[in-house]
Short mmCIF file of all heavy atoms in Angstrom, two decimals:
data_model
loop_
_atom_site.label_atom_id
_atom_site.label_comp_id
_atom_site.label_asym_id
_atom_site.label_seq_id
_atom_site.Cartn_x
_atom_site.Cartn_y
_atom_site.Cartn_z
N ILE A 184 -7.71 2.06 7.44
CA ILE A 184 -7.06 0.96 6.88
C ILE A 184 -5.50 0.93 7.18
O ILE A 184 -5.00 -0.15 7.50
CB ILE A 184 -7.30 0.84 5.37
CG1 ILE A 184 -8.74 0.53 5.17
CG2 ILE A 184 -6.39 -0.15 4.67
CD1 ILE A 184 -9.21 0.54 3.67
N PRO A 185 -4.74 2.04 7.05
CA PRO A 185 -3.26 1.95 7.29
C PRO A 185 -2.87 1.36 8.62
O PRO A 185 -1.94 0.53 8.72
CB PRO A 185 -2.79 3.40 7.08
CG PRO A 185 -3.74 3.94 6.12
CD PRO A 185 -5.07 3.32 6.54
N PRO A 186 -3.50 1.75 9.82
CA PRO A 186 -3.06 1.13 11.02
C PRO A 186 -3.40 -0.40 11.01
O PRO A 186 -2.58 -1.18 11.57
CB PRO A 186 -3.90 1.84 12.06
CG PRO A 186 -4.29 3.10 11.59
CD PRO A 186 -4.37 2.89 10.01
N LEU A 187 -4.45 -0.83 10.45
CA LEU A 187 -4.81 -2.21 10.36
C LEU A 187 -3.83 -2.94 9.46
O LEU A 187 -3.39 -4.10 9.83
CB LEU A 187 -6.23 -2.43 9.81
CG LEU A 187 -7.36 -1.93 10.69
CD1 LEU A 187 -8.68 -2.13 9.94
CD2 LEU A 187 -7.42 -2.65 11.99
N ALA A 188 -3.41 -2.36 8.39
CA ALA A 188 -2.36 -2.94 7.52
C ALA A 188 -1.07 -3.09 8.28
O ALA A 188 -0.45 -4.10 8.05
CB ALA A 188 -2.19 -2.07 6.31
N ALA A 189 -0.72 -2.14 9.03
CA ALA A 189 0.54 -2.29 9.78
C ALA A 189 0.48 -3.42 10.79
O ALA A 189 1.43 -4.10 11.01
CB ALA A 189 0.86 -0.93 10.47
N MET A 190 -0.65 -3.55 11.43
CA MET A 190 -0.84 -4.61 12.43
C MET A 190 -0.78 -6.00 11.75
O MET A 190 -0.15 -6.97 12.22
CB MET A 190 -2.12 -4.46 13.20
CG MET A 190 -2.18 -3.38 14.18
SD MET A 190 -3.59 -3.35 15.20
CE MET A 190 -4.57 -2.23 14.31
N VAL A 191 -1.39 -6.08 10.56
CA VAL A 191 -1.38 -7.32 9.77
C VAL A 191 0.11 -7.60 9.38
O VAL A 191 0.53 -8.77 9.49
CB VAL A 191 -2.23 -7.24 8.54
CG1 VAL A 191 -1.99 -8.36 7.56
CG2 VAL A 191 -3.72 -7.25 8.98
N ALA A 192 0.85 -6.66 8.88
CA ALA A 192 2.19 -6.86 8.33
C ALA A 192 3.17 -7.25 9.52
O ALA A 192 4.16 -7.89 9.27
CB ALA A 192 2.67 -5.61 7.65
N ASN A 193 2.97 -6.74 10.71
CA ASN A 193 3.85 -6.95 11.81
C ASN A 193 3.41 -8.09 12.76
O ASN A 193 4.06 -8.28 13.71
CB ASN A 193 4.07 -5.66 12.63
CG ASN A 193 4.75 -4.71 11.78
OD1 ASN A 193 5.80 -4.96 11.16
ND2 ASN A 193 4.29 -3.41 11.77
N ARG A 194 2.34 -8.69 12.44
CA ARG A 194 1.86 -9.81 13.31
C ARG A 194 2.78 -11.05 13.27
O ARG A 194 3.34 -11.29 12.21
CB ARG A 194 0.47 -10.16 12.87
CG ARG A 194 -0.17 -11.23 13.65
CD ARG A 194 -1.47 -11.65 13.05
NE ARG A 194 -1.26 -11.85 11.61
CZ ARG A 194 -2.02 -12.51 10.84
NH1 ARG A 194 -3.15 -13.03 11.32
NH2 ARG A 194 -1.84 -12.69 9.55
N ARG A 195 3.02 -11.65 14.37
CA ARG A 195 3.83 -12.86 14.43
C ARG A 195 2.99 -14.05 14.53
O ARG A 195 1.97 -14.08 15.27
CB ARG A 195 4.74 -12.79 15.66
CG ARG A 195 5.68 -11.67 15.71
CD ARG A 195 6.90 -11.94 14.92
NE ARG A 195 7.88 -10.90 15.13
CZ ARG A 195 8.93 -10.72 14.49
NH1 ARG A 195 9.23 -11.56 13.55
NH2 ARG A 195 9.74 -9.69 14.69
N GLY A 196 3.31 -15.03 13.67
CA GLY A 196 2.44 -16.29 13.69
C GLY A 196 3.11 -17.33 14.54
O GLY A 196 4.27 -17.12 15.02
N PRO A 197 2.44 -18.46 14.81
CA PRO A 197 3.04 -19.48 15.69
C PRO A 197 4.19 -20.10 15.03
O PRO A 197 5.02 -20.63 15.79
CB PRO A 197 1.86 -20.42 15.88
CG PRO A 197 0.87 -20.10 14.75
CD PRO A 197 1.09 -18.79 14.43
N GLU A 198 4.39 -20.09 13.75
CA GLU A 198 5.47 -20.69 13.10
C GLU A 198 6.70 -19.73 13.07
O GLU A 198 7.80 -20.23 12.66
CB GLU A 198 5.11 -21.18 11.64
CG GLU A 198 4.77 -20.07 10.70
CD GLU A 198 3.39 -19.58 10.88
OE1 GLU A 198 2.54 -20.24 11.52
OE2 GLU A 198 3.09 -18.56 10.37
N ASP A 199 6.54 -18.46 13.42
CA ASP A 199 7.67 -17.56 13.39
C ASP A 199 8.43 -17.79 14.71
O ASP A 199 7.90 -17.70 15.82
CB ASP A 199 7.10 -16.10 13.39
CG ASP A 199 6.51 -15.78 12.04
OD1 ASP A 199 6.85 -16.40 11.05
OD2 ASP A 199 5.69 -14.83 11.97
N ARG A 200 9.69 -18.11 14.58
CA ARG A 200 10.53 -18.41 15.79
C ARG A 200 11.30 -17.18 16.16
O ARG A 200 12.52 -17.13 15.99
CB ARG A 200 11.42 -19.62 15.39
CG ARG A 200 10.74 -20.77 14.85
CD ARG A 200 10.66 -22.01 15.69
NE ARG A 200 11.59 -22.09 16.65
CZ ARG A 200 11.46 -22.88 17.69
NH1 ARG A 200 10.45 -23.68 17.69
NH2 ARG A 200 12.37 -22.94 18.57
N TRP A 201 10.63 -16.18 16.72
CA TRP A 201 11.36 -14.95 17.08
C TRP A 201 11.76 -14.97 18.54
O TRP A 201 12.67 -14.25 18.90
CB TRP A 201 10.47 -13.79 16.86
CG TRP A 201 9.13 -13.86 17.64
CD1 TRP A 201 8.04 -14.40 17.17
CD2 TRP A 201 8.88 -13.44 18.91
NE1 TRP A 201 6.99 -14.41 18.04
CE2 TRP A 201 7.48 -13.77 19.23
CE3 TRP A 201 9.63 -12.80 19.95
CZ2 TRP A 201 6.92 -13.44 20.43
CZ3 TRP A 201 8.97 -12.52 21.13
CH2 TRP A 201 7.68 -12.85 21.32
N TRP A 202 11.18 -15.85 19.36
CA TRP A 202 11.50 -15.85 20.77
C TRP A 202 12.86 -16.45 21.13
O TRP A 202 13.41 -16.22 22.15
CB TRP A 202 10.38 -16.49 21.60
CG TRP A 202 10.20 -17.93 21.20
CD1 TRP A 202 10.88 -19.03 21.74
CD2 TRP A 202 9.29 -18.44 20.23
NE1 TRP A 202 10.47 -20.14 21.14
CE2 TRP A 202 9.48 -19.80 20.22
CE3 TRP A 202 8.38 -17.84 19.40
CZ2 TRP A 202 8.72 -20.61 19.36
CZ3 TRP A 202 7.66 -18.66 18.56
CH2 TRP A 202 7.86 -20.04 18.52
N ASP A 203 13.41 -17.29 20.29
CA ASP A 203 14.68 -17.95 20.56
C ASP A 203 15.80 -17.40 19.64
O ASP A 203 16.87 -18.07 19.64
CB ASP A 203 14.56 -19.41 20.43
CG ASP A 203 14.04 -19.96 19.08
OD1 ASP A 203 13.76 -19.14 18.27
OD2 ASP A 203 14.06 -21.16 18.95
N ASP A 204 15.60 -16.32 19.03
CA ASP A 204 16.69 -15.75 18.26
C ASP A 204 17.74 -15.19 19.21
O ASP A 204 17.35 -14.64 20.23
CB ASP A 204 16.19 -14.58 17.38
CG ASP A 204 15.42 -15.09 16.13
OD1 ASP A 204 15.57 -16.29 15.84
OD2 ASP A 204 14.67 -14.27 15.54
N PRO A 205 19.00 -15.27 18.95
CA PRO A 205 20.00 -14.71 19.77
C PRO A 205 19.92 -13.25 19.73
O PRO A 205 19.67 -12.57 18.70
CB PRO A 205 21.34 -15.21 19.14
CG PRO A 205 20.98 -15.77 17.81
CD PRO A 205 19.52 -16.04 17.78
N SER A 206 20.17 -12.61 20.93
CA SER A 206 20.09 -11.17 21.02
C SER A 206 21.37 -10.46 20.61
O SER A 206 21.30 -9.26 20.38
CB SER A 206 19.75 -10.82 22.50
OG SER A 206 20.95 -11.11 23.30
N GLY A 207 22.45 -11.14 20.55
CA GLY A 207 23.69 -10.55 20.18
C GLY A 207 24.65 -10.29 21.39
O GLY A 207 25.78 -10.10 21.20
N ASP A 208 24.08 -10.36 22.56
CA ASP A 208 24.85 -10.20 23.81
C ASP A 208 25.17 -11.63 24.30
O ASP A 208 24.27 -12.41 24.76
CB ASP A 208 24.02 -9.50 24.85
CG ASP A 208 24.75 -9.33 26.16
OD1 ASP A 208 26.01 -9.52 26.17
OD2 ASP A 208 24.07 -9.01 27.18
N PRO A 209 26.39 -12.05 24.22
CA PRO A 209 26.76 -13.45 24.53
C PRO A 209 26.43 -13.82 25.92
O PRO A 209 25.90 -14.97 26.20
CB PRO A 209 28.28 -13.57 24.26
CG PRO A 209 28.72 -12.38 23.58
CD PRO A 209 27.60 -11.41 23.68
N LYS A 210 26.61 -12.98 26.90
CA LYS A 210 26.34 -13.23 28.31
C LYS A 210 24.78 -13.42 28.52
O LYS A 210 24.38 -14.30 29.22
CB LYS A 210 26.91 -12.13 29.24
CG LYS A 210 26.74 -12.44 30.65
CD LYS A 210 27.52 -11.55 31.51
CE LYS A 210 27.42 -11.92 32.91
NZ LYS A 210 28.63 -12.05 33.59
N SER A 211 24.05 -12.58 27.90
CA SER A 211 22.55 -12.71 28.07
C SER A 211 22.05 -13.98 27.34
O SER A 211 21.20 -14.67 27.86
CB SER A 211 21.97 -11.46 27.38
OG SER A 211 20.54 -11.59 27.35
N ASP A 212 22.57 -14.27 26.19
CA ASP A 212 22.12 -15.38 25.40
C ASP A 212 22.50 -16.70 26.28
O ASP A 212 21.76 -17.61 26.26
CB ASP A 212 22.84 -15.52 24.04
CG ASP A 212 22.31 -14.43 23.07
OD1 ASP A 212 21.24 -13.96 23.39
OD2 ASP A 212 23.06 -14.08 22.13
N GLU A 213 23.72 -16.67 26.89
CA GLU A 213 24.11 -17.81 27.70
C GLU A 213 23.16 -17.98 28.88
O GLU A 213 22.75 -19.09 29.24
CB GLU A 213 25.54 -17.63 28.14
CG GLU A 213 26.09 -18.76 29.00
CD GLU A 213 27.49 -18.50 29.42
OE1 GLU A 213 28.31 -17.81 28.71
OE2 GLU A 213 27.84 -18.92 30.55
N TRP A 214 22.79 -16.91 29.51
CA TRP A 214 21.90 -16.94 30.66
C TRP A 214 20.45 -17.39 30.24
O TRP A 214 19.92 -18.28 30.94
CB TRP A 214 21.85 -15.52 31.22
CG TRP A 214 21.01 -15.38 32.42
CD1 TRP A 214 21.35 -15.82 33.70
CD2 TRP A 214 19.72 -14.82 32.60
NE1 TRP A 214 20.34 -15.45 34.59
CE2 TRP A 214 19.29 -14.92 33.91
CE3 TRP A 214 18.78 -14.27 31.66
CZ2 TRP A 214 18.03 -14.48 34.37
CZ3 TRP A 214 17.58 -13.85 32.16
CH2 TRP A 214 17.21 -13.91 33.44
N TRP A 215 20.01 -17.00 29.14
CA TRP A 215 18.64 -17.42 28.69
C TRP A 215 18.73 -18.87 28.24
O TRP A 215 17.77 -19.68 28.54
CB TRP A 215 18.17 -16.56 27.51
CG TRP A 215 17.63 -15.30 27.96
CD1 TRP A 215 18.15 -14.03 27.82
CD2 TRP A 215 16.41 -15.11 28.67
NE1 TRP A 215 17.36 -13.10 28.38
CE2 TRP A 215 16.29 -13.69 28.96
CE3 TRP A 215 15.36 -15.92 29.15
CZ2 TRP A 215 15.19 -13.15 29.66
CZ3 TRP A 215 14.28 -15.39 29.85
CH2 TRP A 215 14.27 -13.99 30.10
N ASP A 216 19.86 -19.31 27.61
CA ASP A 216 19.96 -20.72 27.29
C ASP A 216 19.97 -21.61 28.52
O ASP A 216 19.40 -22.70 28.57
CB ASP A 216 21.26 -20.92 26.45
CG ASP A 216 21.16 -20.41 25.02
OD1 ASP A 216 20.01 -20.21 24.59
OD2 ASP A 216 22.16 -20.29 24.39
N GLU A 217 20.66 -21.15 29.57
CA GLU A 217 20.64 -21.87 30.83
C GLU A 217 19.24 -22.00 31.45
O GLU A 217 18.86 -22.99 31.87
CB GLU A 217 21.64 -21.23 31.81
CG GLU A 217 21.75 -21.97 33.11
CD GLU A 217 22.67 -21.19 34.05
OE1 GLU A 217 23.58 -20.51 33.61
OE2 GLU A 217 22.44 -21.32 35.25
N LEU A 218 18.51 -20.86 31.37
CA LEU A 218 17.09 -20.87 31.89
C LEU A 218 16.28 -21.79 31.13
O LEU A 218 15.33 -22.45 31.64
CB LEU A 218 16.54 -19.49 31.93
CG LEU A 218 17.04 -18.56 33.03
CD1 LEU A 218 16.43 -17.16 32.91
CD2 LEU A 218 16.69 -19.11 34.46
N ASP A 219 16.42 -21.85 29.80
CA ASP A 219 15.61 -22.66 28.91
C ASP A 219 16.01 -24.18 28.96
O ASP A 219 15.32 -24.95 28.34
CB ASP A 219 15.59 -22.14 27.41
CG ASP A 219 14.97 -20.79 27.29
OD1 ASP A 219 14.09 -20.44 28.14
OD2 ASP A 219 15.27 -20.09 26.30
N GLY A 220 17.12 -24.46 29.59
CA GLY A 220 17.60 -25.81 29.67
C GLY A 220 18.34 -26.27 28.40
O GLY A 220 18.52 -27.43 28.17
N LYS A 221 18.82 -25.34 27.62
CA LYS A 221 19.53 -25.67 26.43
C LYS A 221 21.01 -26.03 26.74
O LYS A 221 21.56 -26.82 26.04
CB LYS A 221 19.52 -24.52 25.38
CG LYS A 221 18.16 -24.35 24.80
CD LYS A 221 18.20 -23.20 23.78
CE LYS A 221 16.81 -22.87 23.24
NZ LYS A 221 16.84 -21.84 22.29
N LYS A 222 21.48 -25.49 27.78
CA LYS A 222 22.90 -25.68 28.17
C LYS A 222 22.89 -26.02 29.64
O LYS A 222 22.10 -25.51 30.46
CB LYS A 222 23.81 -24.50 27.93
CG LYS A 222 24.06 -24.20 26.43
CD LYS A 222 24.96 -23.05 26.30
CE LYS A 222 25.22 -22.76 24.88
NZ LYS A 222 26.10 -21.61 24.61
#
Side-chain angles (χ1 to χ4, degrees):
I184 293 175
L187 293 175
M190 285 187 267
V191 166
N193 291 314
R194 181 182 49 156
R195 299 275 187 190
E198 65 280 346
D199 293 336
R200 308 249 339 165
W201 56 271
W202 59 88
D203 58 354
D204 286 344
S206 67
D208 179 17
K210 186 167 180 127
S211 174
D212 291 339
E213 181 181 330
W214 184 75
W215 282 108
D216 287 343
E217 181 182 329
L218 283 177
D219 291 339
K221 292 182 181 178
K222 292 184 180 177

